[in-house]
Amino acid sequence: MLTLLFTDRPQRWPKFEAPLRAALDAACIGPYRLSDSADPAEVDYIIFSPSGGLRDFTPFTNLKAVLSLWAGVESIVGNDTLRVPLTRMVDQGLSEGMVEWVTGHVLRHHLGMDQHILEQDGVWRGHVTPPLARDRQVAILGLGALGQACAKMLVALNFQVLGWSRGPKSIPGVSCFHGEDGLREVLAGAEICVLLLPNTPHTEDTLDAAALRLMPQGAVILNPGRGPLIDDDALLESLNSGHIGHATLDVFRQEPLPPEHPFWSHPRITVTPHIAAETRAATTATVIAENIRRNEAGEPMRFLVDRDLQY
């Protein structure tokens, strides 16, 4: 009998138990025991969330794999006590949520909607008509599963989409760049810049002071990816100078974002509370169950994390 351990915040267990059981049964996994507590020596698979607090995997002597509920694995990938395969979460619900958040905020800034929403004071103002989408350049830094999904939607809306990744990629309708020279070229054209890179030592402070200076005057930054991708002090300085027009931020170096943090009160920053791509029980359960089925059948699991690349 397989023993499956769910390690997230206690309040999450009631939301995930029924969808997980349904997905496991549909995948013909069995017999199994699924719980949010178990003898570590008996556990075959850990359904993992960093929020659950598990950090030491040493007691799990029969562990076959750790299946993360999060797309980002930076909190676990360097853990020396984890010596079994690790998978990250890539699922349709998460992708759809990210696409909707990114598309909504790209359109918001493209159309200048904040002016109309916030200036309801009885004064008729003649604002400059925004360009059509076909005349607006939107850059996406990070062309993994989420970045590609967002890029395809923006292409469908007729934006000029620039994409950047560490290595070469080819996506229909997207002008793809890679490497340091490619990053500079993409930033120079990024009227709206979306950050969807993983959090690794190579990506920290991707948008530092030098990178921000490369961006067009009045450029907008959207960060639903990872907080450390941006140098916070450099961003504030660039916003205060007026070079960067606005930043809409969903992720932060410290979460929850402290009440006294300057991001909350800055007139050119919009804070959203890490809601861009919420893990949804029904869709993630299917991914978890399929990877367990694959591993038990001797098939390769999907979305395996490369320990060297750290994603």
Side-chain angles (χ1 to χ4, degrees):
M1 177 178 290
L2 294 176
T3 298
L4 317 178
L5 176 63
F6 180 86
T7 64
D8 200 341
R9 299 189 304 274
Q11 60 267 34
R12 300 272 280 174
W13 171 236
K15 298 178 182 179
F16 275 82
E17 182 179 9
L20 280 169
R21 291 190 185 281
L24 291 163
D25 292 343
C28 298
I29 305 296
Y32 66 85
R33 291 178 294 185
L34 171 67
S35 178
D36 62 345
S37 63
D39 180 350
E42 297 179 355
V43 173
D44 296 282
Y45 295 94
I46 293 176
I47 302 166
F48 176 81
S49 165
S51 301
L54 176 60
R55 297 294 181 268
D56 184 6
F57 295 89
T58 306
F60 297 91
T61 52
N62 290 309
L63 192 61
K64 297 179 180 179
V66 171
L67 313 172
S68 178
L69 291 168
W70 289 18
V73 292
E74 60 271 11
S75 66
I76 183 177
V77 70
N79 191 321
D80 291 336
T81 69
L82 180 60
R83 298 175 181 168
V84 297
L86 169 67
T87 66
R88 60 189 176 88
M89 181 51 62
V90 178
D91 84 285
Q92 190 61 32
L94 190 149
S95 295
E96 288 178 15
M98 182 63 79
V99 168
E100 291 170 10
W101 188 96
V102 167
T103 303
H105 285 287
V106 165
L107 287 170
R108 166 195 162 208
H109 290 294
H110 166 63
L111 296 172
M113 293 174 68
D114 286 4
Q115 291 179 307
H116 304 290
I117 293 170
L118 300 176
E119 294 178 3
Q120 298 291 309
D121 55 4
V123 178
W124 187 280
R125 295 177 176 86
H127 292 302
V128 176
T129 302
L132 294 172
R134 68 188 182 198
D135 298 319
R136 177 82 75 186
Q137 288 191 321
V138 180
I140 297 181
L141 307 188
L143 295 175
L146 295 177
Q148 291 191 37
C150 292
K152 290 173 183 176
M153 177 59 75
L154 295 174
V155 167
L157 290 171
N158 216 26
F159 284 101
Q160 296 179 36
V161 181
L162 313 175
W164 182 83
S165 54
R166 271 185 85 183
K169 294 282 179 74
S170 178
I171 303 168
V174 179
S175 298
C176 295
F177 299 81
H178 67 280
E180 292 302 317
D181 290 341
L183 179 59
R184 286 190 287 271
E185 188 168 352
V186 167
L187 290 175
E191 297 174 84
I192 300 174
C193 184
V194 183
L195 296 174
L196 284 170
L197 293 161
N199 181 18
T200 74
H202 299 290
T203 62
E204 185 168 0
D205 292 337
T206 293
L207 289 192
D208 58 12
L212 292 168
R213 284 194 294 269
L214 292 172
M215 298 179 70
Q217 180 74 26
V220 170
I221 294 167
L222 309 180
N223 187 13
R226 292 290 178 264
L229 299 176
I230 300 177
D231 180 328
D232 290 355
D233 292 336
L235 175 61
L236 287 168
E237 182 178 345
S238 190
L239 287 164
N240 290 337
S241 73
H243 180 69
I244 296 299
H246 198 96
T248 294
L249 310 174
D250 186 60
V251 289
F252 308 90
R253 291 175 183 269
Q254 182 181 351
E255 295 185 6
L257 190 66
E260 66 278 7
H261 198 286
F263 284 175
W264 283 113
S265 58
H266 200 288
R268 296 188 179 206
I269 292 179
T270 302
V271 171
T272 64
H274 204 145
I275 57 170
E278 181 68 17
T279 299
R280 291 166 168 81
T283 52
T284 56
T286 302
V287 178
I288 294 294
E290 173 60 11
N291 263 341
I292 292 174
R293 185 203 68 76
R294 283 171 170 262
N295 205 47
E296 290 299 303
E299 301 172 16
M301 290 188 293
R302 302 181 69 195
F303 317 126
L304 276 170
V305 172
D306 184 315
R307 302 297 178 89
D308 293 328
L309 294 177
Q310 299 191 4
Y311 59 87

